[in-house]
Amino acid sequence: MRGCTACVALLLLVDAASQRPDIRALERAAEASPKDAFAHAELASALAEAGDVARAAESFATAATLRPDDTQLLFNAGYASLQLQKMDAARGWFEAVVARASAKPILKQARLKLAQIERDAVRPERVLEHLEAAIAIEPQDPGPYGYLGET
């Protein structure tokens, strides 16, 4: 627990000029507690906010690997991979969300991201599968219906 306490203390550090988390302090926290998913997730969030998507993706992947049942970490790893155009990696992370998620909002979002990936891969049958699943989760939400016109 000492490592976790140190991580929390370091997370409170912010760059006074930008009011952003101190990335170096977060890196030290993740290095000091390499098995602490929270430390890696906080580092990943700070890196993403700073525009360093490649390093953010690595940190989200580390955090998600450490806590494979945390669907938010899995989703974030997928989203960062998607931003880097690493479609196979993104697909894997989003499929992991679908396999584990019980919360409807994140499950729907993962299905929509999978539909996007499959659309870009020109797999219309898979696009429809994911869109139908997203619609079934929340039929009153008009958002997923808009994607149907794009397939």
Side-chain angles (χ1 to χ4, degrees):
M1 291 303 284
R2 187 175 69 75
C4 185
T5 303
C7 291
V8 172
L10 287 173
L11 291 176
L12 297 175
L13 298 175
V14 294
D15 179 333
S18 67
Q19 294 299 306
R20 293 186 179 183
D22 182 343
I23 290 176
R24 187 62 201 131
L26 293 169
E27 288 171 333
R28 286 191 302 270
E31 289 166 7
S33 301
K35 296 203 184 290
D36 184 347
F38 178 74
H40 291 284
E42 288 300 315
L43 173 59
S45 294
L47 289 166
E49 184 178 331
D52 192 343
V53 179
R55 287 180 57 214
E58 290 175 22
S59 292
F60 276 129
T62 298
T65 300
L66 290 169
R67 294 199 51 187
D69 289 328
D70 186 327
T71 54
Q72 188 62 58
L73 291 177
L74 295 169
F75 186 89
N76 290 348
Y79 189 78
S81 296
L82 187 61
Q83 288 184 310
L84 294 172
Q85 299 295 306
K86 294 183 177 183
M87 299 307 191
D88 288 337
R91 182 184 290 112
W93 291 117
F94 291 129
E95 286 175 348
V97 172
V98 169
R100 291 170 176 84
S102 58
K104 289 182 180 182
I106 198 162
L107 181 57
K108 180 178 80 173
Q109 290 305 313
R111 287 289 193 171
L112 292 174
K113 292 300 179 192
L114 283 165
Q116 178 184 347
I117 291 167
E118 299 302 352
R119 180 196 64 209
D120 293 347
V122 192
R123 295 185 196 151
E125 69 286 347
R126 296 293 317 264
V127 173
L128 289 174
E129 172 190 333
H130 291 299
L131 288 177
E132 287 172 352
I135 289 168
I137 292 167
E138 195 174 6
Q140 71 278 14
D141 179 9
Y145 293 99
Y147 288 98
L148 288 172
E150 297 175 13
T151 57

